[in-house]
Amino acid sequence: MRFGLRVLLFAVVSTLLACEKSPGGVHVTVDGPLTPGVHFDRLSVVASLPDGAPLAVATLEGEALRLPATFNFESGPATPEGTRVSVRATAELAGTLQSTAWGETTLTPGTGSRLSLSLPPVAESPDAGLPQEVCDNGVDDDGDGLGDCADPECAGASCQPGGLVCANSVCACPGGVTGVLTERSGFAPRLNPAAVFAPTGPYAGGLVLLGGRDGTGRPVSTVEVFFPASGQVLQARLEAARAESSALVLEEGQVVVLGGLRADGQPEPSAEWLNPDGGTTRVSFTPPLGIHGALAGPLGSDVVVAGGQLSLAPDAGAVSDTALRVSLRGDDAGTWSLLGKLSLECPSGSASMGGAFVLAGGCTPNASSPRMDVVEPSGVLGAGPLLPIPLSAPAVVELKSGRALILGGREVGVIPSARAFLLERNTGRVRMRELTPMDAPRAAPRASLAGNGWVYVEDTHGGPAAWFDPASERFTPAVSLSTPRQGHALVGGPGGSVHFVGGSRPDAGPDGLSWSIEPRCP
């Protein structure tokens, strides 16, 4: 099946030499008199048509941040050679624009065209006396340790689009509950699909839903790509029907699904990723490997898989305390290696941060633990900082700028928790500090990062929902679904949107409905 989708393929390459081996397109080099980590902590490059329609986005953060940086945008099915492309590079520090450069070029065949962008130096701030707090930029401008709405200077000031203002140290709607719900129908009815948001690549700006189970419990092969900006839904099929699989987006924007269970209840020993034309490529694991219900994330050009149920040999039982490295590149695609045994009996959640992969919490009350495991970018498995209390089933979610958040769950496997912890990775070490508690305990939380950097938190045991604002490091009440759902995917989308897709009401089967939540005032 082919999609009528206008795309550019994207890859980051370390040298222009690598560009010369790539298909036709445009090879972009970004340089300038800026120091990574000092003048900027995020570098973004956006390729678009002259009319402004976006084609592809690339971002460097954390340990990947560097200058000069080289990017390769390859021609896609509907962006053939001869297409005129505008490219803009932006350097940001703590969410604030520091420097930008842009240029235009034409996609060419063969080795492709080249475009060099030079970021101008960051202007020195004039001496204007004591700095004032800006309430919507994610920065502690006046250096008092309180950023945005957490600073008393911001009381009553606008802090986000959509009518949100600073009140009681949080960014929220004046009415007290923040968010607007929009319902949409027309999706394939299914339970527990794997779901990811693709910020770059062939499906940039799309929510990708893969597999899951139908109303009878049978695994399905359905793939849907939903673009919130246009409302368009594209459909495809996996080669293998899968339930309880793991999905992620690789650094160049490719969407890949790993393992899962087949209709006969046996592990599906393969990985499968979506191609730009709507087809899929399937690669068997070598040696045979079973993965279901596992945590997965990028590890350099490979993937790390941990927890869940891993069957390392055909006749061996599944394990939940192990981490693996899986290759999805070139001739080694599908091969895997053992990274080691975790200190956690079965981890509850995971997050990528600064190139590393962090696992925390126990997946069951009996596995409650204060430990953290960290897989370094090199693949070395080590220990992270200890939580002050053993936790089971906390939510663990990636934040921007190499940070992560751990929240809720049950303390010592029994007591619903309102505690929250911020993880930061600097100079190769993971550090932890406790935040102001949530507005209410959440025993079974799930959390998802939205495109604006906020995090939406739901409690699958029926507790109230909340937003987390990383600038003020505070929680504020969020709008919840009026009717409880189960078996749905929770996935962040573009802007501040978060989406509930799939699942059903507790008293019914899957219904093909979805809801989006925007952090704005009614």
Side-chain angles (χ1 to χ4, degrees):
M1 178 181 297
R2 294 185 174 269
F3 295 159
L5 181 63
R6 183 175 55 200
V7 297
L8 284 179
L9 304 184
F10 160 76
V12 179
V13 291
S14 58
T15 66
L16 280 174
L17 222 75
C19 273
E20 293 172 354
K21 300 177 182 178
S22 303
V26 56
H27 313 300
V28 182
T29 301
V30 181
D31 205 350
L34 282 69
T35 303
V38 176
H39 295 119
F40 66 106
D41 57 16
R42 179 184 175 93
L43 176 64
S44 300
V45 176
V46 179
S48 59
L49 293 175
D51 64 5
L55 295 171
V57 181
T59 301
L60 295 180
E61 294 181 282
E63 293 186 352
L65 201 63
R66 63 186 182 272
L67 283 180
T70 305
F71 304 84
N72 177 30
F73 295 93
E74 299 176 6
S75 301
T79 51
E81 290 80 5
T83 302
R84 191 71 177 167
V85 174
S86 174
V87 182
R88 178 176 292 276
T90 57
E92 302 172 61
L93 182 63
T96 301
L97 178 67
Q98 301 294 308
S99 183
T100 185
W102 75 281
E104 288 190 348
T105 188
T106 301
L107 301 183
T108 61
T111 59
S113 62
R114 299 181 185 279
L115 179 64
S116 295
L117 301 178
S118 181
L119 294 167
V122 177
E124 296 292 333
S125 299
D127 184 4
L130 294 176
Q132 300 294 310
E133 184 68 24
V134 179
C135 303
D136 61 356
N137 66 348
V139 178
D140 175 18
D141 301 280
D142 56 11
D144 63 357
L146 301 172
D148 287 7
C149 289
D151 195 313
E153 294 180 17
C154 289
S158 174
C159 52
Q160 282 281 335
L164 279 69
V165 297
C166 294
N168 300 318
S169 298
V170 299
C171 184
C173 292
V177 176
T178 298
V180 173
L181 277 166
T182 302
E183 181 179 333
R184 179 186 173 90
S185 61
F187 291 88
R190 52 178 153 172
L191 301 170
N192 297 308
V196 293
F197 172 68
T200 63
Y203 304 105
L207 307 177
V208 185
L209 312 173
L210 308 107
R213 297 184 185 274
D214 63 17
T216 68
R218 188 177 182 85
V220 299
S221 60
T222 306
V223 176
E224 292 171 304
V225 185
F226 170 52
F227 295 91
S230 64
Q232 183 183 20
V233 179
L234 307 178
Q235 295 184 335
R237 290 197 174 275
L238 296 169
E239 188 175 332
R242 308 166 185 261
E244 300 178 37
S245 58
S246 304
L248 71 159
V249 182
L250 304 181
E251 62 179 10
E252 69 272 26
Q254 280 190 310
V255 177
V256 63
V257 59
L258 304 167
L261 293 176
R262 303 183 308 213
D264 60 4
Q266 295 300 306
E268 169 54 46
S270 70
E272 204 167 342
W273 55 85
L274 301 186
N275 298 327
D277 63 358
T280 66
T281 298
R282 182 185 181 194
V283 175
S284 297
F285 295 129
T286 307
L289 170 67
I291 300 171
H292 67 275
L295 306 168
L299 190 66
S301 60
D302 296 331
V303 173
V304 59
V305 179
Q309 297 290 301
L310 305 179
S311 301
L312 309 182
D315 298 326
V319 296
S320 58
D321 60 356
T322 300
L324 309 173
R325 183 174 199 150
V326 181
S327 175
L328 297 174
R329 311 284 178 166
D331 295 338
D332 294 330
T335 61
W336 59 273
S337 58
L338 189 66
L339 295 179
K341 188 172 182 178
L342 305 173
S343 66
L344 292 162
E345 180 181 335
C346 58
S348 167
S350 65
S352 296
M353 50 183 298
F357 189 69
V358 178
L359 303 114
C363 67
T364 66
N366 290 338
S368 179
S369 176
R371 298 189 183 96
M372 274 185 252
D373 290 297
V374 180
V375 181
E376 297 294 339
S378 64
V380 173
L381 176 61
L386 289 174
L387 294 165
I389 33 83
L391 283 177
S392 64
V396 184
V397 61
E398 177 182 357
L399 303 177
K400 293 186 175 182
S401 300
R403 302 191 298 170
L405 180 68
I406 301 174
L407 58 91
R410 292 185 180 271
E411 299 177 15
V412 297
V414 177
I415 305 168
S417 180
R419 298 175 77 171
F421 306 90
L422 186 70
L423 304 181
E424 299 175 287
R425 187 171 185 272
N426 295 309
T427 63
R429 294 184 58 190
V430 176
R431 293 176 173 83
M432 177 195 68
R433 56 186 172 91
E434 188 161 5
L435 302 176
T436 301
M438 293 186 288
D439 54 316
R442 292 174 174 86
R446 292 202 306 171
S448 186
L449 175 68
N452 68 345
W454 280 34
V455 172
Y456 184 85
V457 183
E458 67 162 340
D459 187 349
T460 58
H461 283 187
W467 292 103
F468 174 72
D469 174 8
S472 63
E473 298 182 354
R474 299 293 199 277
F475 293 86
T476 187
V479 66
S480 301
L481 297 180
S482 58
T483 303
R485 289 185 75 77
Q486 61 188 17
H488 59 276
L490 178 68
V491 57
S497 66
V498 176
H499 301 260
F500 295 76
V501 187
S504 68
R505 300 192 308 271
D507 58 350
D511 49 25
L513 298 176
S514 77
W515 283 263
S516 65
I517 298 178
E518 298 275 355
R520 53 187 176 88
C521 303

